[in-house]
Amino acid sequence: MIITNIRDKESNIDYIPSLLIIEEECFVHPWHEESFIELMNNKDALILVAVCEDDTVAGYISMLNVVGEGQILNVAVRSAYRRRGIAGALVSEAMRQANLEFADTEFTLEVRESNMGARALYEKLGFVCEGIRPGYYSDPVEDACIYWNRNYGN
């Protein structure tokens, strides 16, 4: 498994079909091609992909640098590749790269309150739930837990 930052690659557009497949599989309201293109052109963004030996894109993470803080937008792994440490590797590598590129030392994300697997992963990586956004998600309506990792690199 290789984790690659695709934002600056000339061939980054070639990853979009795989990212769209992952979006459809993982999210009720998937992103569209335009969302990925916009992010790929944003100098304050990171998009990392986990690529298998057979060139299958198993997962990805997207993150924005917002005033010195890393805002994790999406973490998604195809169902056939889950429970292999891919999501954790993506989050860890994204934080490492954001720390080097943007000097980010604080990271945040929202996650469905019921997504206990993701919540356990984030907590293992040093994130702490510091608040709730009531009714943040739809289909079904659900609260979001707001997680922060304020100690990266300290």
Side-chain angles (χ1 to χ4, degrees):
M1 184 77 51
I2 296 172
I3 296 178
T4 304
N5 183 344
I6 64 169
R7 185 196 61 205
D8 298 324
K9 290 193 171 287
E10 282 186 31
S11 62
N12 63 8
I13 203 89
D14 296 340
Y15 288 95
I16 290 178
S18 295
L19 297 174
L20 295 175
I21 289 169
I22 294 169
E23 281 287 304
E24 287 289 334
E25 185 177 320
C26 295
F27 299 110
V28 174
H29 300 287
W31 284 7
H32 300 285
E33 181 175 348
E34 298 79 23
S35 300
F36 284 107
I37 291 171
E38 183 179 318
L39 207 56
M40 288 174 180
N41 291 320
N42 185 334
K43 65 178 178 50
D44 291 321
L46 289 176
I47 303 175
L48 307 182
V49 294
V51 181
C52 301
E53 292 177 9
D54 66 358
D55 290 331
T56 300
V57 177
Y60 85 94
I61 185 171
S62 58
M63 178 188 293
L64 279 176
N65 170 45
V66 180
V67 194
E69 298 171 351
Q71 181 180 11
I72 297 173
L73 304 174
N74 278 346
V75 180
V77 176
R78 296 186 70 169
S79 59
Y81 295 92
R82 292 184 186 151
R83 313 283 312 157
R84 299 183 190 187
I86 295 170
L90 285 165
V91 173
S92 294
E93 181 61 16
M95 290 191 320
R96 187 190 75 76
Q97 287 193 27
N99 181 254
L100 291 173
E101 187 170 339
F102 304 118
D104 290 347
T105 58
E106 294 188 354
F107 298 89
T108 187
L109 58 87
E110 291 98 4
V111 63
R112 281 185 181 270
E113 192 170 38
S114 66
N115 191 342
M116 299 311 288
R119 292 179 64 186
L121 170 68
Y122 300 138
E123 289 169 9
K124 180 180 173 184
L125 294 172
F127 285 82
V128 175
C129 182
E130 294 187 10
I132 301 291
R133 289 193 205 282
Y136 182 78
Y137 291 104
S138 60
D139 298 322
V141 173
E142 186 173 357
D143 295 348
C145 297
I146 306 165
Y147 275 86
W148 281 91
N149 180 323
R150 297 184 187 275
N151 300 309
Y152 187 83
N154 296 330

